Amino acid sequence: MTNILCIGAGYVGGSTMPILASHCPEDRFVIVDINEARIAAWQSDQLPIYEPGLDEIVLQTRGKNLFFSTEIDRHIAEAEIIFVSVNTPTKTFGRGAGRAADLQYWEKTARQILQNSTTSKIVVEKSTLPVRTAEAMERILNSNGNGLHFDVLSNPEFLAEGTAIRDMQNPDRVLIGGRETESGRKAVGKLVELYARWIPRERIITTNLWSSELSKLVANAFLAQRISSINSISALCEKTEADISEVANAIGRDDRIGHRFLQASVGFGGSCFKKDILNLVYLCDHYGLPEVARYWEQVVLMNEYQEARFAANMVASMFNTVAGKRIALFGAAFKANTSDTRESPALEVCRSLLEEHANVVITDPHAMENAAEDLKELAGRVTFESDPYAASKNAHAIAILTEWKQYAQLDYERIYHAMAKPAFLFDGRNLLDPKKLYEIGFNVYPIGKPPLTRLSSPAFTPA
Ligand code: NAD
Ligand code: UGA
């Protein structure tokens, strides 16, 4: 039996460890966190995150070989392998503010491991970190002076929220970076064995530490770049009567381009894309590569443009004013199948509309609590309504901001009849059939497609 600890019971720790525990029944897994409420929630029937399929796996393993605890020191002392999945947000102060990763939680964890260790250990970076962080980690840990040895490995996580369980059960690849020393190779081997319980060996890639750390930032940068690329073209489509879905299909049929991650949208959100690209930008500047830094920075700027463009288009289409108008936002989560609202474009659109004094009502099947927390500085200016029919009643407009399947199944005839007229529908996810909505009576504004409207201002004005 191996004692395995995970420090950080957030999205990553909380969804990866139960799966590892389910495949390694003879090993003992403990997940610890400084947040007592979060640990209590993991121990209850109401898990702190919504992730399809997670409840079942936690129920299967909890109390058997998976445990949640706040006794960090004790569990560090007992562990042979420690995964660290604490948060690494963007720094908000001092040097690198707004771009560099804030490594304070990370460093505190390293020191805590050092203070509480009486045996040598393998420490695994699961959080997303700037390239060469493992060097600092090794320096802290191996400064112990009592003969203990720590092998630091990088094992970045590639799961996406909403599909975390599927991604973990059947990953495209698992990446493990380590030192090319005897002890480093042994440590890598141990982690490979753990994953090999259910993942074919050819999908487990081993590299040096720096390639592994950097690959995580680069993977997110490439994924986000595709979204910014298609979103930039959606703006051009709206000017030219080209249709972004047709363009995405036409280019995606080229195997070299591929069809995934070409869904135009109101913008990408989530806790990681923006933070990781800004971190990459910071690193490029730090290493004296300003041209490379500006190239990647544009991915984030394009995303901000898309969010702002969507909100501005709403205001412009509604006769240049939304003041006092009820606007229903369908969706607050940054994507479907998650309760996560971090960096959600829905909240950005909400803030822009509130600046224009709109009367905003938000509905979402799973993310209202998080949205209310994120918007607490605007409490009283935005309302929450769990029923989309009630949210859209008497509204001048609906904006689809999260691609929840249930929003495609609503009775839009019924919704239309209860709305103020003319009724507007802005589809920030191209989730609905614009023609059907137009036939019902809506003025419809998809992303990257000509609007379908009975209002006089023509959408398409050739030069
Ligand atoms: P999170 O904020 O949901 O969870 C982090 C947890 O760490 C929190 O519960 C926090 O209380 C805890 N923590 C912080 N300092 C601690 C300490 N000293 N001791 C014990 N616990 C501590 O973050 P997350 O979304 O799970 O992300 C964690 C890391 O994984 C980040 O680096 C992120 O970039 C990366 N990542 C996230 C995802 C994702 O889908 N969310 C996917 C891949 C990688
Ligand atoms: C992303 C990556 O996909 C994961 O591989 C990575 O592990 C994770 O970040 C991380 O490091 O945190 P996630 O942010 O959970 O996962 O979700 P994605 O499916 O990547 O979606 C991100 C955003 O892009 C969402 O707002 C989504 O709606 C948007 N998106 C995605 C589009 O607008 N169009 C697309 O075609 C795809």
Side-chain angles (χ1 to χ4, degrees), residues 7 10-12 33 38 87-88 127-128 157 161 275 342:
I7 303 182
Y11 277 83
V12 169
D33 205 293
R38 208 162 223 201
N87 37 329
T88 51
S127 302
T128 303
E157 185 47 60
E161 290 178 26
K275 136 179 118 58
R342 292 180 287 182

Side-chain angles (χ1 to χ4, degrees), residues 6-25:
C6 175
I7 303 182
Y11 277 83
V12 169
S15 42
T16 54
M17 291 304 131
I19 295 177
L20 271 161
S22 74
H23 289 287
C24 308

Side-chain angles (χ1 to χ4, degrees), residues 216-231:
K216 172 64 198 178
L217 294 182
V218 174
N220 275 358
F222 269 59
L223 289 168
Q225 180 198 43
R226 276 175 76 90
I227 305 168
S228 276
S229 297
I230 201 73
N231 282 345

